[in-house]
Structure formats: C-alpha cells, structure tokens
Amino acid sequence: MGRVPGHHGRLPPRVLARPGARRPPVAADVHHRAPGRHLPRRRRPWFFTLFGRDSLWAARLLLPLGTDLAASTLRVLAHFQGTETVAETAEQPGKIMHELRPAALTIPGEGVVLPPLYYGTVDATALWISLLHDAWKWGLPDDEVRELLPAMQAALAWMRDYGDSDGDGFLEYVDTTGHGLANQGWKDSGDSIQWKDGTLADGPIALCEVQGYAYEAAVGGAELLDAFGLEGADEWRDWAAQLKTRFAETFWIDDPAGAYPAVALDAAKRKVDTVTSNIGHLLGTGILTPEQSTVIARRLASPELSSGYGLRTMSTDSGGYWPLSYHGGSVWAHDTAIAIVGLSRDGHTAEADLLADGLLAAADGFGYRMPELHSGDSAEQSSAPIPYPAACRPQAWSAAAAVAVLSARLGLRADAQTGSLDVRPTPGAGGIRVSGLRFAGAPRDLEV
C-alpha cells in the first residue's frame, strides 16, 4: 500500500483565497487590496489559493514568457512579508508567507490547524530574492525592482537572523506550535523526510536544497545591491562563500555508487541518508563545485531516480519508496523541471535531455495537461504514466514546467543589463521554432 500523504495530499474543501487585510481575517479581493493584478494560485480544485513557494516557482519557471507575472507575485508576497515574531503563525521579520486562506485550515485526524495567514515555510524567502534577481535579468524595469529592494534587504536579513535558528550556519525549520506543518520545505507531507530505512527524521531539519536556495539568493541579492548602489553586497558574498564551504564539509555522504548530498541534517546534525530528488535543486544554484555537480547529474540520470516519465522524488533503493507515495517515490513535473533547468545551467545537457524526454513522454500520456504529480512506476514496465488518484489538475507549477523544459532545451541565458539573450540549444532540441517569448519587455521569436 502507498504511504499516507501529509496535509497537501488530503482532499479538503475547495477554498478560494482572496488576499485582503495585513492580518487575518483575510477576505478582500486581491485585485482591490493587494498590489499587482495577476499571480499564480497553487492548484485546483483542492488548493486554489496563494502559496508563497508555489507561486514563486511558477512565476520563475515562466520568466521566458515575460516578467509581468513575476512582478505581481513579488509585490503581493512583499505586501504580506513578515514584520514581527508571532509563534502561532510562524511569522518573523522579513519572512515570506507560506499560504493564505479566508479562514483557518483544519486537517482532521492529523492535529494540524493552520491560521489564515501562515508563514510555515523555510524556502519561500530565499526563492523570493532569486525571483527578483532573475526577473531583473529578464528585463523587469529598474524602477519596479527598486521599489522591492527594501523587501529584499529584509528577506536577506531573515536568512541570517532567523532562518538559522540554532546558529550552525544552515537554514532549518521546526514547528514550535504542535499543530503546524511538521515539514516546511516543498516536500511538506509528514513522512517526506526519512532515513534510508524508512524511519522519519526528527527536527529541526536543515534541507539540502534550501542551502542551495540561500546561496543563490545571497549571491543574487549582492548583485542587486551593487547594481542599485546599496551597501552590503560584500557581506552577502562572504556569507554565501562560507555557506558553500560548510555545505561541502557537512552534507556529503560517501557511497559505493558515488557520493551524494544528504537530503537533510536532522536535530542531532546527522546526515539523513535517503537519496531523493531534492539534490537536483542544488544544480545551477552555484553552491556546488563542477565535480560535485557532475556526480549529482549522474545520480539523477540513474534508473533508481529517473523513471522514464520524470524524476522520482525518492530513489527506488530506499526503504520508504513507493511509486504512489506523495513525496516518497512519485514524480512531480515541476520537481523534474527544476532539475532539468539546473542540469542545463551546469552544462549537463545529456542528463537534461534524458529527464526532459521523460516529462514529454508523461505529457503525451496525460494529453499534454500535466497533473500535480503521477506515479513513479518505470516507463519500462508501463506503457503510459500512471495517475496519482487525488492529483490536482491543472496545477500552476506543473503547467509552468513546460516552459522551463523549453527554456532548458534552448539553453536560454538572459541578461537584460547587457541586452543579451543567449541561446545554446541542447542536442535534444532538434529543429524548433518558438514564438511568444519576451525579453526586456519585447517579443522574441527563435528558430534553431
């Protein structure tokens, strides 16, 4: 039987988020009470609401189509950025929210009760900074970027002052209320962070990919500080360099099949040894050396992680693996797409094309309308991808994955500050014509 999913695998009543007042109750229309007019809600029908992490990733993956969605997403999330420390909501100064609802969300039987405006996420703050940086590189106007720089500075400070709760130099999370989310990375089900034998890891948890996000955010934030004449850039580059060194010294696990980063450090700072798709999110962030990147690329392309229909969330040789487990063996389109983009950025085009071919095969099986997730069963054993029974469809970052895969296959590198949009297609791109791209506010059509 499949493992029981956490709160995002349940089927709660449909809720429409209408962002409003700075503090709950939240009941006003986003178009009237929050800045920006368009932003991605997470997924339909079960979670049709604003999620910080999900909206940020969807907007980031869609940047080749323009910066308008990114700008609105950044402004709305900055509007709700934390300003004080509130244990009940997990709010902290500078922190980006996790989710927004008209009323509290109660998960029967799990002891989870989330307030209408909830900040229980460890990664959205760093991802907000990186979206601002990437949107700037794609041509978000300087005046719009400048308006968001105070929020960026507060977000950077959160990583240093609050994200590292125990002073070990890594960002970690723990629910202090007893009724919040036990896991606060993108794999937020209760059983998602586990040892290779299937037992659950104890928090506080420091996820591997979150350290990559933080490194990338610090470097990107430093570039923005320099570009706009603000102080602090060198401090953040030094902070990032120290994080990179600590990560290399602390997270890596020796293994006969090749070393790999632990999915997390647990409360005792032990390396949680399950091989997961989380390591794919490290690619392209800059936190890896070229040699480390190559080792991870090889691991992602292995039959234990690559299903032929995308990247499994957990390796088949793990004790907790099950192809229909929500975060323990299933395939998520956005998760695979993030790995594909990272592989492309780090120059691993063969592995990027392999995973892209898998997602394209899955898309064909789903009529090119990708669900939130699907089974991790191998393409060698099934002629079509097997649906996950309660998957949301459509879902924002699954839809955005298509644009990310296209961007990776084209090898797009945007630098609006120099007026350069580089195109470095992978061998898998073949002959392709693309229309509808936007760079620095202008349409771009490509043919390779």
Side-chain angles (χ1 to χ4, degrees), residues 319-360:
Y321 169 77
W322 184 255
L324 283 171
S325 174
Y326 196 61
H327 289 135
S330 61
V331 173
W332 292 63
H334 87 281
D335 183 37
T336 306
I338 291 168
I340 291 168
V341 170
L343 287 164
S344 176
R345 287 179 179 174
D346 284 359
H348 306 298
T349 56
E351 291 85 355
D353 280 343
L354 174 71
L355 292 181
D357 285 343
L359 273 192
L360 289 168

Side-chain angles (χ1 to χ4, degrees), residues 92-392:
Q92 293 169 329
K95 193 175 186 181
I96 298 299
M97 53 153 277
H98 175 56
E99 61 183 276
L100 181 68
R101 296 179 180 279
L105 174 68
T106 300
I107 310 297
E110 293 190 17
V112 173
V113 181
L114 304 184
L117 179 57
Y118 181 55
Y119 289 82
T121 171
V122 71
D123 51 9
T125 307
L127 291 171
W128 188 96
I129 299 168
S130 291
L131 176 60
L132 178 63
H133 173 267
D134 289 1
W136 177 61
K137 302 303 285 187
W138 274 94
L140 184 65
D142 281 2
D143 59 345
E144 296 187 41
V145 175
R146 190 174 289 107
E147 291 176 358
L148 292 166
L149 292 178
M152 183 195 78
Q153 291 173 300
L156 285 168
W158 177 85
M159 293 198 305
R160 178 194 60 211
D161 300 337
Y162 295 94
D164 178 11
S165 61
D166 60 8
D168 69 341
F170 297 116
L171 274 66
E172 57 261 320
Y173 63 83
V174 66
D175 171 51
T176 61
T177 68
H179 56 75
L181 294 179
N183 286 312
Q184 298 182 6
W186 90 258
K187 294 178 179 176
D188 53 5
S189 53
D191 63 351
S192 61
I193 308 303
Q194 55 181 264
W195 295 85
K196 203 167 187 177
D197 64 5
T199 58
L200 302 185
D202 295 325
I205 296 288
L207 293 170
C208 68
E209 77 273 16
V210 171
Q211 316 316 314
Y213 299 161
Y215 177 90
E216 186 176 22
V219 172
E223 185 178 359
L224 285 168
L225 291 172
D226 271 345
F228 287 86
L230 299 174
E231 297 180 354
D234 289 344
E235 173 191 347
W236 285 108
R237 291 192 185 95
D238 290 344
W239 187 89
Q242 293 172 28
L243 176 59
K244 183 172 183 173
T245 299
R246 284 193 300 271
F247 184 84
E249 294 172 347
T250 308
F251 267 81
W252 283 81
I253 295 173
D254 292 328
D255 185 75
Y260 64 96
V263 63
L265 303 181
D266 74 351
K269 307 304 176 185
R270 296 176 300 173
K271 303 170 187 178
V272 182
D273 58 354
T274 310
V275 178
T276 66
S277 63
N278 301 56
I279 62 177
H281 291 225
L282 295 166
L283 296 165
T285 64
I287 201 170
L288 303 171
T289 66
E291 295 76 18
Q292 292 168 343
S293 176
T294 298
V295 169
I296 289 178
R298 188 181 307 124
R299 178 77 68 162
L300 295 180
S302 71
E304 290 77 26
L305 279 176
S306 177
S307 72
Y309 292 125
L311 186 65
R312 294 185 180 96
T313 45
M314 184 180 290
S315 174
T316 57
D317 59 6
S318 300
Y321 169 77
W322 184 255
L324 283 171
S325 174
Y326 196 61
H327 289 135
S330 61
V331 173
W332 292 63
H334 87 281
D335 183 37
T336 306
I338 291 168
I340 291 168
V341 170
L343 287 164
S344 176
R345 287 179 179 174
D346 284 359
H348 306 298
T349 56
E351 291 85 355
D353 280 343
L354 174 71
L355 292 181
D357 285 343
L359 273 192
L360 289 168
D364 183 62
F366 288 113
Y368 296 94
R369 191 169 180 263
M370 289 294 285
E372 173 189 12
L373 72 159
H374 56 272
S375 171
D377 286 295
S378 171
E380 294 182 355
Q381 298 175 342
S382 61
S383 59
I386 297 172
Y388 183 86
C392 295

